[in-house]
Amino acid sequence: MTYTTQMDAARKGIVTPQMEIVARKENMRIEVLMERMAKGTVIIPANKKHTNLDPEAVGEGISTKINVNLGISKDCCDIEPELVKVQMALDMKAEAIMDLSCYGKTQEFRKRLIAMSPAMIGTVPIYDAVGFYDKNLQDITVDEFFDVVKKHVEDGVDFLTIHCGLNKHTAEKVKLGGRLTNIVSRGGSLLFTWMEINKAENPFYEHFDRLLDICEEYDVTLSLGDGCRPGCLNDATDACQVEELITLGELTKRAWERNVQVMIEGPGHMAMNEIAGNMMMEKRLCHGAPFYVLGPLVTDVAPGYDHITAAIGGAIAAMNGADFLCYVTPAEHLRLPTLEDMKEGIIATRIAAHAADVAKGHPGARDWDDNMSKARAALDWNGMFDLAMDPVKPREYRESSKPEHEDSCSMCGKMCAVRNMNRVLAGKDIQLDD
């Protein structure tokens, strides 16, 4: 029996190699995995042409995944430094990388990225279209937009972010005003501009079936972008965001009818008290499709520290149903991130994802924390470093401030609670004075 996509295979009862790998990773029965994939609540982005992919799943009952954004631009168009960032993202166990390249040798970079990456790869084709055709945005034709999409999937991209839900009706809501930051999505703003100048409908909404033809042929997951995501706390959960989400839910059902896997992209900036409600709303309006969020950033006043504001929001979001977190670095809103910015962003996002998995009771998540606690109780410093999410930084801290006694740290010395409890429970004397 043949199949077109991972969803099609699940609905036909066919176990694919990708499903077998994911089931082992997630400690999930293959029957449960397939049932959820058939419904659309779990996806395995896996382009047929991405031959070195180490597949991962996203969705219901699956561990929270993280994504790293990178790519070349007009101000930073050198491919080699970005490939160094790719390797760092892979070394730091990011499950996905999004290539947001918008200028220069974008196809060369994309092909090299896919060739070296076992992580799933996503792109936003409309970014590439402007640079690829070297013409004004308004002059790009519908066919040209779709030709760029086709190039991306032929190169092996596993998921495409396309802002299909920002149609003319929702665009009118944006023009009515009331937002402090209007449209902050780069892809959303480009499509809004194209629609306004050409007095035309969003080509990806109007010709959605044409997009599905491409996704079905290559088994590419459609990441339905949130062109109206809030760019500040004031704009969260407003009519523009909600109306677009309703449209994305309608498009999700159309994609599922074609066996095309879907995930939904979400906010953005949002106060903490609104996050849980937004997660529930997305799952209801989009029929349980996996939810992919940027942050959410829980305050607008921390430039330079937005990896922290995003990690707070990401942990709350994932605990309440978000399935996939896009990393945010300290450079967010300010510049292209450096390697150090990337590291800070990846660690912050991994902390958020893991904390949410613990809260949700994901199988095996708490074991990691319990093993760290055992190492701490035994004052097993090397064991603690080996278990650390980032083994390098704690080792550097330890080496930078050597204690008098190896079984303590330089903060407490002989007054270390763990050291003294271990000694007294073992029947040994405790000498606190020098």
Side-chain angles (χ1 to χ4, degrees):
M1 189 181 297
T2 60
Y3 61 91
T4 55
T5 67
Q6 295 290 324
M7 173 178 261
D8 184 37
R11 288 173 167 176
K12 291 176 176 176
I14 300 171
V15 178
T16 66
Q18 292 85 357
M19 293 178 195
E20 291 178 333
I21 293 170
V22 164
R24 287 196 300 271
K25 287 182 178 180
E26 300 292 337
N27 194 26
M28 178 179 286
R29 290 191 300 112
I30 196 78
E31 296 82 8
V32 174
L33 175 64
M34 294 175 71
E35 178 185 354
R36 293 173 182 176
M37 291 181 67
K39 290 191 303 181
T41 60
V42 171
I43 59 173
I44 301 179
N47 187 321
K48 294 172 183 176
K49 301 194 75 172
H50 190 176
T51 55
N52 64 332
L53 176 70
D54 184 8
E56 298 281 357
V58 177
E60 181 186 359
I62 302 294
S63 59
T64 307
K65 303 302 188 297
I66 76 163
N67 171 72
V68 168
N69 290 339
L70 41 78
I72 55 175
S73 63
K74 191 166 187 177
D75 290 321
C76 300
C77 59
D78 190 349
I79 289 176
E80 300 307 322
E82 287 305 295
L83 292 175
V84 173
K85 292 179 181 179
V86 170
Q87 192 57 57
M88 171 181 273
L90 296 173
D91 292 342
M92 295 186 71
K93 303 178 182 178
E95 290 90 3
I97 295 173
M98 283 203 75
D99 173 16
L100 305 187
S101 295
C102 59
Y103 181 84
K105 298 178 180 179
T106 55
Q107 187 171 36
E108 179 186 342
F109 177 73
R110 184 167 60 250
K111 286 184 173 181
R112 290 178 66 180
L113 165 64
I114 292 167
M116 71 183 286
S117 176
M120 53 184 161
I121 302 298
T123 60
V124 189
I126 193 171
Y127 295 176
D128 194 22
V130 178
F132 181 81
Y133 290 113
D134 192 24
K135 61 198 304 189
N136 290 330
L137 173 66
Q138 63 265 28
D139 296 328
I140 299 175
T141 67
V142 172
D143 285 342
E144 286 174 333
F145 278 132
F146 278 94
D147 286 345
V148 170
V149 171
K150 192 70 178 289
K151 288 181 189 298
H152 282 225
V153 300
E154 287 175 342
D155 287 341
V157 169
D158 301 295
F159 64 96
L160 298 170
T161 291
I162 300 187
H163 302 82
C164 306
L166 181 56
N167 56 20
K168 290 177 71 173
H169 186 65
T170 302
E172 289 301 315
K173 287 280 196 300
V174 175
K175 288 191 287 184
L176 289 174
R179 284 192 151 199
L180 293 181
T181 54
N182 296 311
I183 292 178
V184 300
S185 159
R186 183 167 29 160
S189 68
L190 291 172
L191 278 171
F192 182 90
T193 301
W194 187 92
M195 292 160 62
E196 283 292 297
I197 294 174
N198 290 295
K199 306 301 180 187
E201 181 57 276
N202 179 342
F204 296 110
Y205 176 77
E206 184 175 8
H207 305 284
F208 189 63
D209 285 328
R210 184 173 176 181
L211 182 60
L212 295 180
D213 289 340
I214 298 171
C215 293
E216 183 181 23
E217 180 181 357
Y218 291 86
D219 194 4
V220 172
T221 296
L222 192 53
S223 185
L224 292 173
D226 52 336
C228 293
R229 72 169 179 265
C232 63
L233 301 188
N234 178 79
D235 298 349
T237 327
D238 69 351
C240 302
Q241 178 196 337
V242 176
E243 183 157 324
E244 182 183 31
L245 194 60
I246 291 170
T247 302
L248 296 184
E250 295 167 353
L251 296 176
T252 295
K253 294 181 79 172
R254 287 175 59 184
W256 286 348
E257 289 171 1
R258 296 284 301 277
N259 293 311
V260 172
Q261 299 183 107
V262 172
M263 60 181 164
I264 310 297
E265 295 189 7
H269 294 234
M270 183 170 290
M272 287 192 292
N273 60 303
E274 294 185 48
I275 294 174
N278 268 261
M279 300 306 106
M280 181 180 68
M281 179 171 62
E282 183 277 339
K283 292 290 183 177
R284 290 292 297 272
L285 293 178
C286 296
H287 321 293
F291 203 16
Y292 171 31
V293 297
L294 177 70
L297 280 67
V298 296
T299 180
D300 299 330
V301 298
Y305 300 91
D306 277 329
H307 60 310
I308 298 174
T309 67
I312 294 168
I316 297 170
M319 183 178 68
N320 286 282
D323 307 287
F324 193 14
L325 304 181
C326 185
Y327 94 142
V328 173
T329 77
E332 183 77 8
H333 304 114
L334 302 172
R335 69 174 188 199
L336 197 71
T338 64
L339 282 170
E340 186 59 31
D341 293 332
M342 282 187 62
K343 180 177 179 180
E344 293 293 317
I346 291 170
I347 291 296
T349 310
R350 286 192 63 202
I351 291 170
H354 177 67
D357 285 346
V358 171
K360 291 187 289 190
H362 187 76
R366 181 64 173 268
D367 294 345
W368 189 4
D369 296 79
D370 290 344
N371 288 333
M372 175 64 85
S373 297
K374 291 172 185 175
R376 282 187 171 141
L379 293 171
D380 177 4
W381 298 99
N382 287 326
M384 288 183 247
F385 300 149
D386 290 341
L387 286 163
M389 192 172 287
D390 171 20
V392 175
K393 191 170 187 176
R395 286 184 188 274
E396 290 177 347
Y397 272 45
R398 176 76 173 168
E399 290 298 319
S400 70
S401 183
K402 285 286 191 179
E404 179 184 358
H405 301 281
E406 280 299 316
D407 60 351
S408 65
C409 74
S410 57
M411 174 176 280
C412 298
K414 281 188 174 183
M415 296 180 72
C416 171
V418 176
R419 174 180 183 270
N420 290 336
M421 287 300 298
N422 288 346
R423 291 179 67 86
V424 74
L425 291 174
K428 297 179 181 178
D429 290 336
I430 297 176
Q431 298 292 333
L432 297 181
D433 60 334
D434 292 326

